[in-house]
Amino acid sequence: MYQPQPDFKLTIDQVSRLTAVKKGTLRYWEKSFGEFLQPTRTDSQRREYSMSDLEIIDSIKKLLEEEHLTKRGVRIRLEQKNGKV
């Protein structure tokens, strides 16, 4: 099985297809959960998502859609997961 390199980067379009989250939603989550989701930018300001960003997106999606948490609830859970609380 293919294992991507640790520095492997994905475009917003690729992340949108993989996660079934609209590009506009990804941009909104970047603003709403900026302390957790910070894709890098190229010189031309295009977003590049890492594998850890992809894991965070999956976590946010699960917390919002399956556990029906609010933005504040998601933020608290992500802080707990990252040991910030």
Side-chain angles (χ1 to χ4, degrees):
M1 182 176 174
Y2 174 73
Q3 290 293 325
Q5 305 268 338
D7 60 347
F8 187 74
K9 301 289 184 176
L10 299 168
T11 66
I12 192 169
D13 191 51
Q14 292 169 322
V15 171
S16 178
R17 289 184 201 165
L18 286 171
T19 61
V21 176
K22 294 179 181 179
K23 292 185 271 188
T25 302
L26 291 170
R27 291 182 194 103
Y28 175 74
W29 287 354
E30 185 181 335
K31 291 176 186 166
S32 298
F33 307 109
E35 60 266 32
F36 308 104
L37 183 59
Q38 297 176 339
T40 58
R41 298 282 185 136
T42 65
D43 292 336
S44 61
Q45 296 302 307
R46 296 186 75 172
R47 291 168 176 84
E48 291 187 326
Y49 293 87
S50 66
M51 291 297 119
S52 62
D53 290 330
L54 199 58
E55 291 172 10
I56 292 167
I57 290 166
D58 284 335
S59 296
I60 293 170
K61 182 179 179 183
K62 179 183 173 228
L63 293 170
L64 289 171
E65 293 180 358
E66 294 177 17
E67 298 189 27
H68 306 288
L69 294 178
T70 62
K71 284 193 315 184
R72 184 171 183 211
V74 171
R75 195 171 288 111
I76 289 169
R77 284 282 185 89
L78 291 173
E79 287 172 352
Q80 290 171 344
K81 182 178 177 181
N82 292 334
K84 292 186 177 182
V85 174

